[in-house]
Amino acid sequence: MGTSTRRSRRLMALAAVAALTTGLLAGCSKDSDDSSSNDGGGNAKGKTTLTIGTFGVFGYKQAGLYDEYMKLHPDISIKENVTTRTDVYWPKVLTRLQAGSGTDDIQAIEVGNVTEAVQTQGSKFVDLGKDVDKSQWLDWKNAQATTKDGKLIGLGTDVGPMAICYRKDLFKKAGLETDRTKLAAQWKGDWAKYVDVGKEYMRKAPKGTKFVDSASSVYNAALGGGTERYYDKDGNVVWDKSDGVKKAWDVSMSVATSDMSAKLKQFDPTWDQGYAKGTFATVACPAWMIGYIEQKSGASGKGNWDVAAAPTASNWGGSFLGVPTAGKHQKEAVALAKWLTAPEQQAKVFAKQASFPSTPSAYSTLKPAADTLAYFSNAPITQIFADSAKTIPVQYFGIKDQPINTAITDVGILQVEQKGKSPTQGWDAAKNEVKDVLGQ
């Protein structure tokens, strides 16, 4: 396929990934309009106005945190500048960082962009490690936002610890184990064991159902639990030699070459319909997806969905708050960033929109809504996600991590799962696409 055609398709795929990531970090809440501004409460004369640039819905305004902070600090006024799409937000922030002007006092940084911020813009951010107790946050979360010389450029907001959400009614009809603890034990430690359960499910699968939504979702879940992705810790591209990529690819190929996948693209309308119709029995679900499943499955899913620990601890999603050195109110901005990302505030955001905290001390205080617990068969979801979050390995993201991932999932895996190509052909297709991404 010609380079121009691949590039065109890749750009469309990147836009889709950016939109997906925004929804992910927003806890699947409704986004506000592009480039809109929201005052948490007036901008009275004589007050110091702090601006905070975000994308999607971080939940701070929705949880009343801006109003609360301004009551505690009458001399401060907060203005949130929201950009819905990350593919618009981050390039704009980069331009302003490089210019040394025009940034907000606080800038949100998505996990897919934090490595670029660390490696190329570290000098443009205040070292927050000097002002906080870093032990409040998960070690691997801090590591993602730390420069080589030890500078912490961002304070962790949410994370996306993984579990397996499953339809226990479909499992029962297929003659499989339905108890969440016993089920998790069957696939513990190895995503290949999860695939084995899928093969068993398909032997007596209820008519019109598949074991999993897609091979790509299994790939991403498995990759999120590896110690190596597409770059090494020094920023070198190692995607085609990465042990994490190989293991995730192999398990996704086991799915793609079998009949256990519903072959649905996540967040497409057909995926939503799959939830509503109960056409797949399992999905790898980060914490923020709980609300999405409840919404899309509707009344028919209540009490039929359950949650079990994933084969390995894995992460999908998360962001940071950084303070640009170009800001006019650095001291006040640091204080606000510290407060917004403190355990108490992260717990309040979780209560509002299920964004899972990156601060372990908040985990014992988390209280999911009663109707959500009932919907998922009263599964101990906070404990399951907390156990995962605490053991997720440190992963290094590269500057082109997201487009490389899109090349593998939307080109390589798709070739096998939907077009009947061999795993070797799928890998070659992905390899050509990655070369295009890297300009090789």
Side-chain angles (χ1 to χ4, degrees), residues 165-200:
C165 293
Y166 67 101
R167 288 284 299 249
K168 65 180 184 180
D169 57 330
L170 297 181
F171 268 55
K172 184 177 181 179
K173 290 178 181 178
L176 270 61
E177 179 63 63
T178 60
D179 179 82
R180 67 180 71 95
T181 302
K182 294 178 180 178
L183 191 57
Q186 291 182 9
W187 56 52
K188 184 177 181 180
D190 192 345
W191 284 91
K193 293 180 180 179
Y194 169 75
V195 174
D196 288 340
V197 174
K199 293 176 180 177
E200 187 178 350

Side-chain angles (χ1 to χ4, degrees), residues 1 10 19 57 62 72 81 100 129 141 161 192 194 204 213 219 255 261 272 293 302 317 329 346 357 401 425 432 438:
M1 184 175 290
R10 190 179 81 246
V57 180
Q62 291 75 10
L72 294 171
N81 296 320
K141 185 72 173 178
Y194 169 75
K204 296 182 179 179
D213 60 331
Y219 172 85
V255 174
S261 172
D272 294 346
I293 293 173
K302 185 175 182 179
H329 311 291
Q346 293 207 30
D401 202 273
Q425 290 173 317
N432 288 334
L438 298 175

Side-chain angles (χ1 to χ4, degrees), residues 37-51 61 65-71 73-80 336:
S37 298
N38 300 295
D39 281 308
N43 186 16
K45 186 176 180 180
K47 291 186 177 184
T48 297
T49 298
L50 297 179
T51 60
K61 180 183 179 184
L65 296 188
Y66 295 147
D67 287 337
E68 182 178 349
Y69 190 83
M70 288 186 289
K71 287 180 180 178
H73 302 83
D75 58 332
I76 296 293
S77 178
I78 301 172
K79 180 180 181 181
E80 183 182 62
L336 176 58

Side-chain angles (χ1 to χ4, degrees), residues 201-221:
Y201 176 88
M202 293 309 300
R203 293 190 186 102
K204 296 182 179 179
K207 185 177 180 180
T209 71
K210 299 294 183 179
F211 179 66
V212 67
D213 60 331
S214 71
S216 291
S217 72
V218 177
Y219 172 85
N220 285 321

